[in-house]
Amino acid sequence: MLDSAMAALASLADPSLLIMLLIGTVAGLIMGLIPGLGGTGAVAILLPITFGMEPPQALALLIGALAVVHTSDTVSAVLLGAPGSASASVTMLDGYSMAKKGQAARALTLAFLSSMAGGIIGAVGLTLAIPLARPLVLSFASPELFMLTVLGVSLAAVLSRGNIIKGVSAGLLGLILGMVGTSPTTAEERFTFGSLFLGDGLSLVAVALGIFGLAEIASRASQRRGQKQTISLGGGWGQGIREWLTHWTQVIRGALIGIWAGVLPGVGATAGTWMAYGQAVATAKDKRQFGKGDPRGIVGPESANNSVEAGDLIPTLLFGIPGGVPSAMLLGMLLTYGIQPGPSIITEHLDLMYLIVWSFAIASILGALLCFLSVKQLAKLTKVPFAVLAAGLVAIMLLGSFQEGGQLGDLWIMIVLGAFGWLLKSTGFPRAPFLIGFVLAIPLERYYFLTDSLYEGFDWMARPGVMVFLAILILPMIWAFIKFIRARRHTNLDDGHRDEQPEDDEAPLKNSTWSLTASSIFFVAFAAALISSASFSPEARLVPQLVSTGGLIFSGILLFIEIRRRLHDGTPKADETLAEKAEEGILGTQTAKAGWTLDAKFALKTFLWMTGFLALTAAFGYLIAVTIFIPAFLLIVARARLKVAIIYTGVLYIVLLALPSLLPIDLPQGWLNTLV
């Protein structure tokens, strides 16, 4: 094992690996600054670029980005009071307070050093997990692996922020979508409706980029203004270092909490940072300065949000169960390379495991160093309106999705799923269980039938490992039920620190007509899957029908709640944000019609623009489509200046023209090119 660790470290002497690690680190720092992208956006955008690379180079690129994305999201949180990600909102409480007092440098020093320490401690945790978990993982047979896949989807749904019923419904729908294509047991085509294109199933990149990437762009493209505040770093670098050293116990505690939050599927960096902040407040003797510039409110959460990503890799690599969305995409990349996470990765690819560990640790140090050196330049990116960034991001994401299968059909599916992802996000449905369900659909079915063929009846459930996983599966549900009962009994009592949780501003259409529409779509989709699966052979339809039936029950409950709310409340939440948007200058003087919100209207327009771009690509090819779409989007939607549009388009065109000669990337060729 030590030999593998040293061999992995020696492999980093390869210049190509170091360059990929550096590129990934820089890309992660930049994407961490852009609101809404975070680790998910970083992996989603970089993932298509890795196709054609060797696994070590691809892992160095992705891990480099993943390790530092929470390091740079602190910059805007501290300097501008606008966090680059939800997890950085915790740091904003005390960090922005320090900045307003002219001590931004002190806050950033605490944050960068804590992020670096959190990344290193997370890498150490991942290292220790390998020898400790190795005998356990190698003892797993198909019953334990089947239970792990069930556990992955269930915990992601149950532990996700928000409504549990919505989380379970999203996870089950992800499972159904993952079953599109050929059955792993009978080689029978399911849910393809005779389409050869769907016979191979849906592309993971298209699903991930659509549900998260395009949905995020649609919900934020209305932001035509960047941050206006002037940047003032102030002094305090040395003071920050001295204070950080005095709070080293908070750093370690925060990192350990982050690792634990990462191991649990669906918890994620946001919950991990709030847990770290909560323990810092709970264990402090003097709590009066929290929220007013207390260094303890920075070091713990910042240490936690970096270690979460390392903790997330433990179940992903050792058990094949992704803890979050970035790790789900990483898992998909490994499967693309024929690397099966779980017992086989330990026996056959131990060097890759340690390469990930070393890459994570080195990127954490490199990321903090780069942040110290370039904090002023990084902060300027937050002044760029998201609508301007959106034009280039759409072009990059669609090109990325094309690389996996080389088919335009993946791009159409991506746009459709993007619209669905926007609906999920806007109405409060957690999207992580959906993607985790999609990734685990085939392993779940494969391990179930393998278990069924090896054991009589339910004998496999008597195995100790299976019983432990059953307990882990059931206990959170019981705990959630107890919390629900307690909340019903104490609705009028003081909730203490609960008020410190961020408001759910990510779901502006929650409890509106749109959430009723989303619930109806879920119900109809499960009903259609149940009816369609009736024509499959007994083995091919068993799991789809079980999942569809469960989905019908949960989505039916959801639909009943939504209808009852409509009948009792009468007035949906639509148009509540109209005045706020108008005040912010978003959408200018446009007015919303009855039944529409500005968010929904603008999202629809954004998806129509994307559809137009794809239609141009199908007709004339990618390069011509870019030269038409980018300037038109910048001038009409982002309202950018003509000079900006010309330079932007020119630079992007040159980069796209050069890409095929630099990287193994193909540009989509249109119908017109086939005639020439």
Side-chain angles (χ1 to χ4, degrees), residues 90-129:
V90 190
T91 308
M92 186 184 71
L93 293 177
D94 290 284
Y96 190 50
S97 297
M98 280 191 192
K100 287 192 290 187
K101 297 174 185 173
Q103 300 172 344
R106 175 187 167 209
L108 288 173
T109 304
L110 290 165
F112 292 157
L113 290 176
S114 301
S115 293
M116 181 186 70
I120 294 172
I121 294 172
V124 172
L126 183 56
T127 306
L128 294 176

Side-chain angles (χ1 to χ4, degrees), residues 427 508-517 562 566 572-574:
T427 54
L509 304 181
K510 192 177 177 182
N511 301 331
S512 73
T513 307
W514 292 97
S515 57
L516 175 63
T517 304
E562 291 288 343
R566 297 281 88 68
K573 195 182 174 183

Side-chain angles (χ1 to χ4, degrees), residues 532-554:
S532 178
S533 59
S535 61
F536 304 156
S537 64
E539 282 194 338
R541 72 174 177 235
L542 176 62
V543 178
Q545 288 198 333
L546 285 174
V547 174
S548 300
T549 303
L552 269 179
I553 294 171
F554 282 101

